[in-house]
Amino acid sequence: GQNIDQPTEMTATEGAIVQINCTYQTSGFNGLFWYQQHAGEAPTFLSYNVLDGLEEKGRFSSFLSRSKGYSYLLLKELQMKDSASYLCAVRSGNTPLVFGKGTRLSVIA
Amino acid sequence: GAVVSQHPSWVICKSGTSVKIECRSLDFQATTMFWYRQFPKQSLMLMATSNEGSKATYEQGVEKDKFLINHASLTLSTLTVTSAHPEDSSFYICSEVWADTQYFGPGTRLTVL
């Protein structure tokens, strides 16, 4: 099976940088995804890593280390609208994504 | 990314009735769609994989006779919750894959009284 761990909650200040970590255990790893989910809404795609290294996309970056079973999502220049849950998800082979429980980020002034 | 719609956005029904949720792929033909369920403050849990023209594949613990899935066309998959009970109240979300990435519909919030 798969096991995905991420912190339950985090708080950060507007304008700051925050790093949300995710560790996973899976066989047949075929990609790690990050999604943003605002309360009461469906997840929206943020990033996808299948090879080791850093993927940068504007204020958001995602890092992957396959040997360590580790990823992080980095959010820069935090804005109040970034308050949401951030979901780490892993794909094995061609199976549908399996999600972690999500990290609820609160951005405060 | 892919555009997925769901209908209805929310529904309230009485215990014992059936509810149908539609998921449409708006910009390409999806042979496979996924149905997830999310309880408050919990993770998205995969319920089943919907395959166009064939039977759905259900995850362990999901009753196929209670959650009927039909994928009759390449752009439409439906999930029918039969004989709904209050414990079925949840957020139901469909998803499709485009360019190696899963995209989600806006979700349907079901409340069973």
Side-chain angles (χ1 to χ4, degrees):
Chain A
Q2 292 162 315
N3 191 32
I4 302 171
D5 283 314
Q6 51 182 132
T8 305
E9 292 186 16
M10 297 182 73
T11 302
T13 307
E14 192 176 15
I17 299 173
V18 72
Q19 178 175 310
I20 303 174
N21 296 323
C22 172
T23 57
Y24 65 90
Q25 295 171 321
T26 188
S27 56
F29 176 81
N30 190 25
L32 187 137
F33 296 75
W34 285 96
Y35 287 80
Q36 180 190 60
Q37 186 178 26
H38 283 101
E41 299 180 9
T44 56
F45 170 71
L46 289 178
S47 70
Y48 164 50
N49 295 68
V50 67
L51 299 176
D52 290 351
L54 189 68
E55 293 279 343
E56 296 187 77
K57 212 189 261 189
R59 293 190 298 117
F60 293 10
S61 304
S62 57
F63 171 83
L64 175 68
S65 169
R66 288 171 297 170
S67 62
K68 294 182 180 177
Y70 169 68
S71 172
Y72 67 72
L73 179 69
L74 195 71
L75 292 76
K76 302 175 186 174
E77 300 168 19
L78 279 173
Q79 301 174 11
M80 301 300 283
K81 67 178 183 179
D82 297 329
S83 293
S85 286
Y86 290 86
L87 312 178
C88 173
V90 173
R91 183 169 63 202
S92 294
N94 286 322
T95 60
L97 293 178
V98 175
F99 285 82
K101 293 186 176 179
T103 298
R104 194 157 49 253
L105 174 66
S106 299
V107 180
I108 58 176
Chain B
V3 181
V4 185
S5 73
Q6 272 184 250
H7 177 82
S9 307
W10 57 271
V11 58
I12 301 172
C13 69
K14 291 183 180 179
S15 188
T17 60
S18 294
V19 174
K20 181 188 280 189
I21 302 170
E22 294 185 347
C23 174
R24 291 184 186 274
S25 173
L26 297 184
D27 51 0
F28 79 102
Q29 295 176 327
T31 54
T32 301
M33 290 184 179
F34 305 111
W35 286 95
Y36 287 82
R37 178 169 57 180
Q38 186 178 36
F39 292 105
K41 297 189 178 181
Q42 295 197 19
S43 179
L44 276 81
M45 296 300 295
L46 180 68
M47 298 176 67
T49 300
S50 170
N51 304 298
E52 188 268 336
S54 65
K55 291 182 179 178
T57 305
Y58 290 81
E59 295 300 301
Q60 195 172 8
V62 178
E63 301 173 56
K64 62 179 168 65
D65 294 330
K66 180 172 179 62
F67 298 99
L68 301 179
I69 290 173
N70 185 282
H71 195 151
S73 79
L74 288 170
T75 59
L76 175 64
S77 175
T78 61
L79 168 68
T80 301
V81 183
T82 62
S83 187
H85 288 100
E87 57 265 31
D88 298 323
S89 298
S90 188
F91 192 45
Y92 292 86
I93 317 172
C94 67
S95 173
E96 64 182 18
V97 177
W98 181 80
D100 242 9
T101 298
Q102 272 185 235
Y103 292 90
F104 290 84
T108 297
R109 187 160 303 283
L110 170 64
T111 302
V112 185
L113 303 177

